[in-house]
Amino acid sequence: MSKEQILIIDTDPGVDDALALTMLSNLNNNVDNYSKIIMSSIGGNTSLKNTHQNMLDIISVTKLQHSEILKGSESTLTGEKFVDAEHYHGKNGLTLQLDKNTDSHSNLETYEYLHELLLKNENVEVTLLMLGPLTNLAKSLVSIPETKKIIKSVVIMGGAFYVRGNATKYAEFNIYADPEAANIVFKSGLHIKAIGLDVCDSVIINKEKFYNSQYEFNKSKSVLGKFSNSIIDSFFNYHKDKNEMSLCDPIAVICLFYENLFSYKSKEVSVDTGKLKKGLTVPTQKKGKIDIAVDLNIKKVMNLIDKNLI
Ligand code: RIB
Ligand code: CA
């Protein structure tokens, strides 16, 4: 009997998370149907309180179909307060104000929900799309390692494997925000596709093209299209000095549905948890189970992002 396919989206909205969730609303209806989509928040770009509220508000606007709302970890794996990236994503994590969604969430934290899935029903396969720090997954693996048995695959937006970081010169933000969690996840033996900064810089929103309506989604009159345009417009209004907007999380969404548009190096990866190089992701020479994306079909990936923001 085929196993029930469940997608858990772990997110710290975040302007690029907001675009990623908008795309998912289109993609899962048209490309690859999971029987259940579970939404999970995590701290990162801003506090958990803010990222959780942002996630609820984005779900309300995009009508992203979901079966469950989970609130993730309040703090990092070692109990630290999350750093934030509000300088980039705006105060409270978004550069635009959304109507408040007051939907409630499960009384299970994300890691506990994964345990429940394991304990009550072996006949599921879970795919994880990790768009923020890896705390929730690491907590699940640390407390019940058997959770791995129900995890089919993981796509992570995170890491700077052969390039410079963006949180520091060593580290990409999602890994920097919880390096201990990342180390546990990368060493878990799970089969992971890692979308790092190595493939993020070549697929971006260009300000001039955006305001000259050169993207297909610029012309969209749909709710999703208008939402995409408002996110990007608010971003460029917030950052008068920026001519580009990164699309890290949307690229990870494309990897989830179109993995063959990327090329990978399969390595073992360790994460520096020290002070100086905290969050540095170090691929070993040995072959391993972390498929590090090292190149991508820029034209096709950008085209798919554009088409799924309408
Ligand atoms: O480094 C980029 C990542 O950090 C993205 O997921 C962005 O949303 C932030 O979480
Ligand atoms: Ca994110």
Side-chain angles (χ1 to χ4, degrees):
M1 189 168 105
S2 66
K3 296 195 174 207
E4 184 184 9
Q5 300 299 314
I6 296 176
L7 173 63
I8 297 183
I9 301 166
D10 201 69
T11 181
D12 64 333
V15 290
D16 61 328
D17 301 71
L19 293 177
L21 299 184
T22 302
M23 289 167 60
L24 280 157
S25 201
N26 273 322
L27 275 163
N28 199 52
N29 297 336
N30 310 323
V31 177
D32 199 335
N33 285 310
Y34 292 93
S35 62
K36 271 188 191 154
I37 291 183
I38 312 294
M39 298 303 299
S40 160
S41 56
I42 184 62
N45 287 321
T46 182
S47 67
L48 177 71
K49 177 175 177 289
N50 291 334
T51 58
H52 189 76
Q53 186 60 56
N54 292 341
M55 181 181 79
L56 291 177
D57 300 346
I58 293 163
I59 288 170
S60 179
V61 173
T62 60
K63 303 280 182 282
L64 178 57
Q65 296 300 311
H66 60 281
S67 312
E68 193 69 70
I69 297 270
L70 304 174
K71 196 167 187 179
S73 180
E74 287 276 3
S75 56
T76 68
L77 192 66
T78 53
E80 305 291 316
K81 183 176 176 299
F82 280 109
V83 295
D84 72 62
E86 291 182 352
H87 63 284
Y88 183 86
H89 293 271
K91 191 94 187 83
N92 305 330
L94 287 176
T95 49
L96 76 169
Q97 289 299 317
L98 299 177
D99 293 344
K100 290 298 160 235
N101 172 354
T102 55
D103 283 357
S104 60
H105 52 80
S106 160
N107 58 10
L108 295 175
E109 196 180 308
T110 303
Y111 82 96
E112 294 168 318
Y113 182 86
L114 270 164
H115 292 165
E116 284 276 294
L117 278 181
L118 172 71
L119 300 176
K120 78 179 180 206
N121 175 354
E122 292 273 334
N123 201 30
V124 297
E125 285 185 324
V126 177
T127 297
L128 290 148
L129 175 62
M130 309 297 289
L131 302 177
L134 299 174
T135 316
N136 291 329
L137 178 52
K139 277 178 93 166
S140 198
L141 294 171
V142 164
S143 42
I144 302 193
E146 293 77 13
T147 312
K148 281 191 288 191
K149 285 199 301 190
I150 59 167
I151 297 176
K152 176 182 170 187
S153 67
V154 189
V155 174
I156 287 174
M157 192 284 125
F161 299 92
Y162 302 100
V163 296
R164 184 185 171 89
N166 60 0
T168 69
K169 65 179 181 180
Y170 301 110
E172 179 278 327
F173 178 81
N174 286 338
I175 308 301
Y176 179 77
D178 197 342
E180 286 79 8
N183 214 15
I184 284 165
V185 170
F186 280 131
K187 291 186 173 168
S188 64
L190 288 169
H191 205 146
I192 292 169
K193 284 197 172 38
I195 297 294
L197 298 181
D198 310 69
V199 290
C200 278
D201 292 348
S202 45
V203 176
I204 49 91
I205 295 288
N206 174 281
K207 181 176 183 177
E208 191 180 348
K209 283 181 70 176
F210 176 72
Y211 286 110
N212 288 331
S213 294
Q214 290 177 260
Y215 295 105
E216 192 169 336
F217 71 83
N218 289 136
K219 304 162 189 81
S220 171
K221 298 294 176 228
S222 73
V223 169
L224 293 180
K226 286 182 202 164
F227 183 53
S228 304
N229 281 284
S230 63
I231 293 166
I232 299 166
D233 182 44
S234 69
F235 175 82
F236 284 126
N237 281 322
Y238 187 85
H239 293 286
K240 298 291 186 195
D241 59 330
K242 289 191 187 298
N243 294 313
E244 293 183 348
M245 178 183 180
S246 297
L247 293 174
C248 298
D249 291 343
I251 295 168
V253 170
I254 297 298
C255 177
L256 177 66
F257 288 97
Y258 300 95
E259 63 183 39
N260 297 330
L261 293 181
F262 299 78
S263 53
Y264 307 91
K265 281 185 179 174
S266 301
K267 299 286 183 186
E268 287 181 357
V269 171
S270 63
V271 180
D272 193 310
T273 55
K275 283 210 181 314
L276 173 67
K277 297 185 178 179
K278 170 183 165 187
L280 175 70
T281 40
V282 185
T284 65
Q285 287 310 314
K286 278 170 66 181
K287 189 160 173 48
K289 294 181 79 174
I290 312 302
D291 292 341
I292 300 167
V294 292
D295 203 359
L296 76 171
N297 184 319
I298 295 172
K299 192 166 181 303
K300 286 187 177 174
V301 170
M302 187 62 233
N303 188 37
L304 281 163
I305 292 174
D306 188 353
K307 284 191 180 322
N308 285 287
L309 287 176
I310 59 173

